[in-house]
Each structure stands twice: as C-alpha cells, then as structure tokens.
Amino acid sequence: MPELAPTLAVIGGGQLARMMAQPAIALGLPLRLLAEAEGVSAAQVIADQLVGDYRDLATLRRVTAGCAAVTFDHEHVPTEHLHALEADGIAVRPGPDALVYAQDKGLMREKLGELDIPCPRNAIVGSVAEVEEFGFPCVLKTTRGGYDGKGVWVVCSAQDAIEPFDVAARTGVRILAEELVDFRRELSAIVARSPSGQAAAYPVVQTTQLDGICHEVIAPAPELSETLAGQAQQLALTVAGELGVTGILAVELFETVDGRILVNELAMRPHNTGHWTQDGAVTSQFENHLRAVMDLPLGSPAPRARWSVMVNILGGPDAGVGRLYDGFPHALARDPHLRVHLYGKELRPGRKVGHVNTYGEDLDDCLERARHAAAWFRGDLGNESE
C-alpha cells in the first residue's frame, strides 16, 4: 500500500495523545503511538502502537523508525535520548534543546531570567536552612517530575520544609524555592509555533485550580485589560521564539494584585487550559500542534463565540461505582449544545477522566451549563430531580 502521508510518532498514551487522533484523521496524518501499557487512553483510538518504556532508547528507536517526526504527550523522555533520535535523522518536535526547559523547572527559571521574562523570585535550595534564608512563607517544587500539584509544597516553617528534601533525597532531584505570589487569579497564554517560525496566539484564559489540578477555564479571561492580554500573548510568543519551541506552548501565569503578570510554569504540548479550543476555536490546540510539528500552515486560533468554558470531570468520592457513559442521557438531553470529551480512563477519586465544553454569548449561562454537566458525570447531582 503506498504511503499517503508521512507518519508522526507520539510518545505517551494519555488523553493528550488521544485527543490528537481526531484532527490527525481529518488531516490524513498517520499516528504511531508509544504507550506505557495496553489499553491506556490513547491506545484505545490509535491502531498503530507499541507498548514500551519511553526511558529506553531502543524502544524509542523502534517506534520512530520510518517516521518523519516525533512529538509528545508528556515532557519526561530523557533529553539524551531525544538528542540520539535527532542524530538518527528524526525531527524531534519540540526539540530537546527547547523541551529541557519544560522538563526542569530550575533550568526554566534560569533561562527565563536571562531573557528578562517576569517570574516570581526564586532560587535553588539545598537544605532547610537555605529555605529559611530564602524566607517563609514560600513554595517549594521538585525541579523535575511534578505535575497536577504533585511535587509542590507551600511551606510556612522549617518543619514544613522537611518533606520536600526527603523526596529530593529519594529521587535525586533538586528543590526550587519560589516566593508565594500574592495573585488575583491564574491565567494561561497558549501559542503554536512551527519550525518555519509561523506562530499563532490563542486568547488568554482564566484558570481555576482544585487541589492542584486545573478545574475550570474561561476563554477569554473576564475583565482582563487589552494591555495585559497583549502582554501575556507577546510574552508567550517571545518565549516560544527564544526557546525554539515547535508545537503548542502553554505559559501558565499569575496576574498579581498590583496588575503584573508573572510566569508560573511552561508546558510544550497541548495543555489542559487549551481544551476549550476543541469546540470554542476555529482551530483546536490539538490540530495546530499537529500542523506545527509537521510544518504545515497554522490554523486560525480565533474564538467561535463570545465565551467558552471548560470544566474538568474529576473522579468523585464514589469513583468506581457506575460508568461515566451513564451520564450521557441526562447531560445531553438537558443541554443539546454541550460538548463532552471522555478519556477512556477508569474512575478514581480526583482523577481527570474527561471534560465538558460550553460556548455562547452569556458567560453565566456557559458556566452554569458546564458546571452542571461536570457535576452530573462526577455523580454530585445524581439524586437531584429534574
């Protein structure tokens, strides 16, 4: 059978890889998946797959053999392996020289400082005494491996700071101290950038966290001044260009109470704060990520409606009882305009298992519809009468 299009390898079998599959079908772009286990989220929808360890170079070479490029569901592939794939002639996107700044928060802070990008005051600390010198209260983070609130501690005393260094001793990672920012809210600026340098910026969104996990996104961020919105988009475009990012870059931000924006985190892949784009933007973050890594012209990031809202579906306290699918009859009958995205994951308390998107001209209506649907799937409203 003749090759109809170049194949793209995707490392990691989570929901981000799963959600790349639909736009890949529309683009006629074959995907080949490296999944960490059989039956994981993306493995349910991508037929061409290999199960293996992303930390093993031989496995990475097997899954990328014959592929035009490789991209990622997560940032954890060892940097030296990515350099080896580049030496093999595989286009690694984003490349290791960019991805390392999403892998290591210490290196990220150092690089952003060199670029004069506004960040919280920070320092690498090697002991509780150095944390005391930095000053309480503060935030301690493992420089590698943390996500969704894991590897992050708000510490107010020397006693609070013991646990992070215990983790560091076990894992060999460094600890980053950051000031506890007095912020009004959290924002996210997402951009796409291709190898040829074309870039597209999505509207800046407001994000709300629940137990360290992104819970709710409003696009665009309400009552955000055009000045700050423009600064946030330009900051994200600058970071993408200076770091040589290919694909989606998500820049998580603090809007401080005194009207500044500070960079919190970077992610070089489709991001939870961009899931609203699946239904609320002309071109989703997932399609623009694929277009970018294959160096195709980028699609418009413009919103389709005045407001879009994304609410994550998190496993509730009774997770494991019933099926998420059983929530469809009520949710879809109540709101025919609702868009539901499930990840094919088993329910566990606090686990992200899907999200819902709403859009329209009235923000309060969008919020109520999205929150109700997410709560219904979670099981919080299962006994309410309609």
Side-chain angles (χ1 to χ4, degrees):
M1 181 176 177
E3 182 182 65
L4 300 179
T7 298
L8 173 65
V10 181
I11 308 302
Q15 66 263 23
L16 301 180
R18 179 189 182 99
M19 288 183 277
M20 292 181 202
Q22 188 169 1
I25 291 170
L27 291 169
L29 177 65
L31 299 182
R32 183 182 302 157
L33 179 70
L34 177 61
E36 55 272 25
E38 293 185 2
V40 294
S41 182
Q44 298 168 23
V45 298
I46 298 175
D48 186 1
Q49 60 183 260
L50 173 70
V51 175
D53 189 344
Y54 64 83
R55 296 165 296 186
D56 179 64
L57 179 56
T59 298
L60 292 172
R61 282 180 162 144
R62 282 200 302 275
V63 79
T64 57
C67 292
V70 59
T71 193
F72 310 95
D73 172 87
H74 57 73
E75 292 109 339
H76 306 312
V77 179
T79 307
E80 62 271 21
H81 291 355
L82 300 181
H83 282 295
L85 294 180
E86 282 191 326
D88 292 343
I90 302 296
V92 179
R93 294 175 174 165
D97 292 336
L99 196 61
V100 69
Y101 297 113
Q103 295 172 325
D104 190 304
K105 296 179 179 67
L107 296 178
M108 179 263 289
R109 287 290 183 226
E110 181 180 348
K111 184 64 174 181
L112 294 183
E114 292 174 2
L115 298 174
D116 291 325
I117 299 295
C119 295
R121 183 174 63 90
N122 63 87
I124 296 293
V125 289
S127 65
V128 173
E130 290 185 12
V131 179
E132 290 183 292
E133 185 177 345
F134 183 84
F136 296 114
C138 66
V139 179
L140 298 183
K141 300 178 178 180
T142 56
T143 53
R144 286 180 175 262
Y147 66 97
D148 285 347
K150 299 178 176 65
V152 179
W153 299 263
V154 176
V155 298
C156 299
S157 67
Q159 183 64 36
D160 293 341
I162 293 174
E163 181 184 352
F165 288 101
D166 287 343
V167 172
R170 291 197 306 271
T171 60
V173 300
R174 299 184 299 167
I175 296 294
L176 175 70
E178 296 181 348
E179 67 174 302
L180 187 62
V181 175
D182 187 12
F183 62 91
R184 178 185 172 218
R185 58 179 169 176
E186 293 182 74
L187 305 172
S188 177
I190 289 182
V191 298
R193 182 179 179 275
S194 67
S196 58
Q198 185 189 9
Y202 288 93
V204 179
V205 303
Q206 174 180 304
T207 74
T208 304
Q209 314 302 310
L210 180 66
D211 297 327
I213 299 174
C214 178
H215 170 60
E216 183 174 285
V217 172
I218 300 174
E223 300 178 358
L224 181 66
S225 71
E226 289 185 10
T227 299
L228 273 187
Q231 287 178 8
Q233 288 178 314
Q234 186 56 57
L235 183 152
L237 289 168
T238 297
V239 172
E242 291 290 342
L243 270 54
V245 175
T246 296
I248 290 290
L249 170 71
V251 182
E252 296 181 79
L253 303 159
F254 295 123
E255 181 186 357
T256 66
V257 294
D258 59 358
R260 297 172 297 133
I261 52 173
L262 302 174
V263 173
N264 180 23
E265 302 277 1
L266 301 180
M268 296 179 192
R269 50 173 170 73
H271 193 256
N272 203 163
T273 60
H275 289 354
W276 69 273
T277 65
Q278 287 176 294
D279 306 297
V282 173
T283 312
S284 77
Q285 65 164 346
F286 296 98
E287 179 170 343
N288 260 341
H289 184 73
L290 296 178
R291 291 193 190 200
V293 300
M294 300 306 292
D295 207 11
L296 296 171
L298 299 179
S300 169
R304 293 181 179 273
R306 175 70 183 89
W307 298 104
S308 292
V309 171
M310 189 281 311
V311 178
N312 272 326
I313 301 171
L314 305 176
D318 296 324
V321 177
R323 301 179 303 173
L324 274 177
Y325 187 87
D326 296 336
F328 276 120
H330 167 87
L332 299 186
R334 184 179 189 271
D335 187 352
H337 292 94
L338 183 73
R339 305 294 294 177
V340 183
H341 302 267
L342 300 182
Y343 305 157
K345 291 185 172 183
E346 292 183 3
L347 278 164
R348 290 204 300 261
R351 188 186 200 188
K352 283 188 289 190
V353 291
H355 66 271
V356 297
N357 286 335
T358 58
Y359 50 87
E361 300 305 307
D362 185 290
L363 177 56
D364 289 338
D365 176 66
C366 291
L367 285 166
E368 189 280 329
R369 289 160 51 210
R371 289 168 177 170
H372 178 97
W376 184 269
F377 277 98
R378 176 184 168 95
D380 295 346
L381 303 179
N383 295 319
E384 100 173 0
S385 60
E386 286 287 311

